Amino acid sequence: MTVHIGAEPGQIAETVLMPGDPLRAQWAAETFLEDAQCVNRVRGMLGFTGSYKGNRVTIHGSGMGMPSLSIYANELIRNFGARTLVRIGSCGAMQKHVAIRDVVIAMTASTLSTPSRGLFRELNFAPCADYGLLRNAVEAAERKKAVVHVGGIYSSDVFYDERDDLSEQMTRHGVLAVEMEAAELYTVAARHGARALAVMTVSDHLLTQEALPADQRERSFGDMVEIALEAAFA
Ligand code: HPA
């Protein structure tokens, strides 16, 4: 047990999928895993361990934003031996050619700041995905005939962003989409020699103001869970 994860030693798998929403973790575990058992409920942040095609896997919520994700990623890696962490979530598109429902796989994640900022001080560390996981995820997405974009994303600390000028610079520099967790996941994984990847579906579009209707979010989310599982165990 740790401060934020009530699991017993050995109850967390080496491979962990991390949706932001704990209820999505429950839905994904009940839908895609065999013999899923709840291993964490502390503060309502649900985690489940089961198996996928014979491979042990945990699906654990990260909460929203990098400070929350950082707590869970640190404890999963340092205290429970997680070695492969895949974020699954939603993002807002920042390019015209990226559409609602498309899959975005983050090669890198730009930030203003992460919870790791204090460690790097004057250095602009470049958080980047594990290449093997990234390659597997692209192949899995293509097998599903998903429209997939691979490139840089922006991990923001704010959902209600007032910095239009910064968003414009991101778009100008080819950043595909914005979300709120990947940069810290990549950074914490790098620090501990673990593998990390973020696979997201586009839920809203910053340039066109379109948004994915609530009833269609579940299906896109399911595709992403399968892409993440296939990537982890390819
Ligand atoms: N901003 C930040 N995070 C997000 C967004 C957004 O527009 N959409 C989905 N996650």
Side-chain angles (χ1 to χ4, degrees):
M1 272 179 58
T2 56
V3 178
H4 304 95
I5 301 177
E8 300 295 331
Q11 283 191 320
I12 303 279
E14 278 192 17
T15 298
V16 185
L17 265 52
M18 301 187 78
D21 178 353
L23 292 177
R24 284 272 158 111
Q26 180 167 25
W27 180 85
E30 287 170 355
T31 307
F32 295 100
L33 304 191
E34 282 164 32
D35 306 322
Q37 308 275 336
C38 184
V39 294
N40 189 29
R41 306 187 169 274
V42 176
R43 291 177 181 244
M45 190 52 76
L46 304 174
F48 298 82
T49 298
S51 68
Y52 177 76
K53 296 187 179 171
N55 302 288
R56 227 167 146 252
V57 57
T58 296
I59 306 183
H60 195 291
S62 69
M64 288 178 281
M66 291 186 272
S68 176
L69 174 130
S70 189
I71 289 169
Y72 296 106
N74 266 287
E75 293 181 15
L76 288 164
I77 295 171
R78 289 160 50 160
N79 302 96
F80 292 98
R83 303 301 300 152
T84 296
L85 298 94
V86 184
R87 159 163 161 69
I88 46 178
S90 61
C91 63
M94 301 183 96
Q95 298 292 332
K96 279 196 199 133
H97 70 279
V98 178
I100 300 289
R101 263 183 237 96
D102 287 0
V103 174
V104 171
I105 300 179
M107 196 147 62
T108 64
S110 300
T111 60
L112 286 178
S113 167
T114 72
S116 299
R117 180 90 202 169
L119 197 62
F120 292 121
R121 300 189 194 188
E122 68 274 40
L123 178 77
N124 288 313
F125 180 73
C128 102
D130 177 82
Y131 178 67
L133 278 178
L134 181 129
R135 201 177 46 188
N136 295 345
V138 173
E139 287 172 7
E142 286 174 349
R143 279 197 299 275
K144 286 186 131 322
K145 309 249 183 284
V147 179
V148 55
H149 306 269
V150 183
I153 62 160
Y154 170 40
S155 295
S156 176
D157 280 336
V158 282
F159 187 86
Y160 298 104
D161 204 334
E162 307 262 339
R163 286 288 305 275
D164 290 346
D165 60 322
L166 196 58
S167 295
E168 280 166 25
Q169 289 302 337
M170 296 284 163
T171 299
R172 184 177 169 216
H173 288 81
V175 169
L176 297 170
V178 55
E179 54 80 74
M180 300 182 68
E181 291 84 16
E184 176 69 356
L185 176 64
Y186 288 4
T187 302
V188 172
R191 190 176 309 144
H192 299 288
R195 307 193 298 166
L197 183 69
V199 179
M200 287 140 306
T201 50
V202 177
S203 62
D204 51 275
H205 207 297
L206 272 65
L207 304 179
T208 65
Q209 317 304 327
E210 281 171 281
L212 189 63
D215 59 331
Q216 292 184 28
R217 284 178 187 234
E218 196 158 287
R219 200 175 129 227
S220 315
F221 184 74
D223 285 348
M224 219 169 18
V225 175
E226 287 183 306
I227 291 168
L229 289 167
E230 294 292 330
F233 300 118

